[in-house]
Amino acid sequence: MASLAIDLNLNPFSITTDDTPVKVREVQTGFYNDDDDVEEEDCSFEKQVDHGMVGDLSSENRKLKEMLTIIWDHNNSLQTQVKKLMKDRELIVSNPKKRKLDETVEQSSWNRPNEELPNTGIHRVYVKTDPSDKSLVVKDGYQWRKYGQKVTRDNPSPRAYYKCSFAPTCPVKKKVQRSVDDAGVVVATYEGEHNHRSSKQEATYALANEYEIFSRQRRSMVTPKAFDQVLVQQMTDCLTKDPNFTAQLAATISSRILDFDL
DNA sequence: CGTATTTGACCCGCGC
DNA sequence: GCGCGGGTCAAATACG
């Protein structure tokens, strides 16, 4: 069964003191169970925060904790949304007559299982999009630079050629073209493997690193106030100002729900 | 003004 | 060798 990696980064602070890269949450088919380890991890986060901060809370520390609480609340509300969507899905599954594919579904929320071409390093991804949208953009978390477009013989819609924006360091290319069979489906063909993290993974990693530095400075009691403010601001921005954050979450959840039914 | 995209020209492999 | 088609290059253009 396919798994889906999501950079929701619900617990970005689960890092060790060595240089081990922060673990990116990989959501398996079960998604969130009520009794899964998420809450345990989150509790440990709360303990970690309390342990490091409660004591001689200066006004800055109080401010910091308040903002962390906001982030924490966002985290909880998102989990609530997840659970609600899971319940909705159960209702839909138990009453299939009501189910119909939402025509306004966002592109990332409708993925057919990836098609892996053996021994080629090539795989295809099918993405549902608005047929009237001719942009041929597939959001996959990486940055791409378009370097060509061609109309091919077997398909009236043009094929777009992209290189990873980290080229030539990263050799990955992708071709994007509408399906001949269904103009509402875009086929993205990927060649090669990325030798770097996606932009979202990078943001998560950077945040985790900053938190590590922050933690060390906390421990040595030499934290500059300005650093506190910058860190808190970045952490808050990460969750609250990303315009795609909630939409991405909803789309991903929908994707998982639909995958169940395919 | 720097960066990304567009698009015609060019390259290259393949079949005839 | 030639033509065709897919893939790439790079100058021109668009855009923020």
Side-chain angles (χ1 to χ4, degrees):
Chain A
M1 182 66 79
S3 65
L4 186 63
I6 309 174
D7 304 340
L8 295 179
N9 193 21
L10 295 178
N11 183 4
F13 309 120
S14 58
I15 54 175
T16 59
T17 52
D18 60 19
D19 291 334
T20 310
V22 65
K23 181 184 164 193
V24 175
R25 180 174 296 281
E26 191 165 58
V27 177
Q28 302 292 340
T29 339
F31 213 72
Y32 282 170
N33 298 322
D34 286 340
D35 57 348
D36 68 5
D37 58 358
V38 172
E39 290 179 11
E40 287 173 24
E41 287 179 22
D42 290 337
C43 289
S44 69
F45 159 59
E46 193 166 44
K47 283 176 194 168
Q48 196 175 349
V49 171
D50 285 343
H51 180 72
M53 293 179 191
V54 177
D56 58 342
L57 280 178
S58 64
S59 62
E60 283 81 12
N61 283 348
R62 223 168 276 125
K63 206 171 174 181
L64 175 63
K65 192 175 180 183
E66 282 169 14
M67 300 195 82
L68 284 170
T69 306
I70 292 169
I71 295 171
W72 178 242
D73 288 343
H74 274 279
N75 188 1
N76 284 338
S77 70
L78 288 171
Q79 285 189 44
T80 306
Q81 284 182 40
V82 168
K83 286 173 183 173
K84 183 177 180 299
L85 284 164
M86 289 300 289
K87 279 183 183 174
D88 290 348
R89 180 201 160 263
E90 282 167 15
L91 285 175
I92 290 168
V93 169
S94 63
N95 194 355
K97 283 184 180 177
K98 284 189 178 176
R99 178 181 180 251
K100 69 169 185 179
L101 191 60
D102 183 357
E103 289 177 0
T104 64
V105 69
E106 289 192 33
Q107 60 164 234
S108 56
S109 67
W110 191 91
N111 289 340
R112 265 164 59 179
N114 291 1
E115 184 180 341
E116 196 82 32
L117 306 180
N119 302 324
T120 59
I122 297 173
H123 68 276
R124 289 200 188 99
V125 175
Y126 298 83
V127 180
K128 177 85 172 175
T129 62
D130 179 0
S132 62
D133 180 14
K134 296 175 181 176
S135 62
L136 285 178
V137 172
V138 175
K139 293 172 189 171
D140 50 22
Y142 289 92
Q143 286 184 294
W144 301 92
R145 182 177 58 83
K146 189 176 182 180
Y147 67 92
Q149 181 164 311
K150 274 277 189 187
V151 175
T152 56
R153 221 163 60 101
D154 55 343
N155 191 335
S157 85
R159 176 183 296 167
Y161 298 89
Y162 295 89
K163 282 178 183 171
C164 178
S165 62
F166 285 90
T169 313
C170 178
V172 180
K173 294 177 191 174
K174 75 169 176 181
K175 293 178 278 191
V176 181
Q177 189 171 33
R178 293 202 172 278
S179 168
V180 193
D181 306 323
D182 184 352
V185 174
V186 165
V187 184
T189 307
Y190 293 83
E191 294 178 37
E193 297 284 335
H194 290 282
N195 53 18
H196 57 92
R197 287 181 285 270
S198 71
S199 54
K200 288 175 187 174
Q201 289 172 327
E202 201 63 53
T204 302
Y205 191 65
L207 185 63
N209 273 341
E210 283 178 16
Y211 182 76
E212 169 135 10
I213 295 166
F214 158 79
S215 299
R216 283 176 179 164
Q217 291 188 342
R218 277 273 169 209
R219 281 195 292 274
S220 61
M221 304 296 281
V222 293
T223 309
K225 289 178 185 176
F227 182 83
D228 281 7
Q229 287 165 359
V230 168
L231 176 61
V232 169
Q233 190 59 51
Q234 287 183 357
M235 289 161 65
T236 310
D237 286 353
C238 181
L239 285 176
T240 62
K241 289 190 178 175
D242 180 357
N244 294 323
F245 183 73
T246 307
Q248 195 77 40
L249 174 66
T252 304
I253 292 163
S254 303
S255 172
R256 299 304 311 159
I257 290 169
L258 291 172
D259 278 353
F260 271 114
D261 301 332
L262 291 176

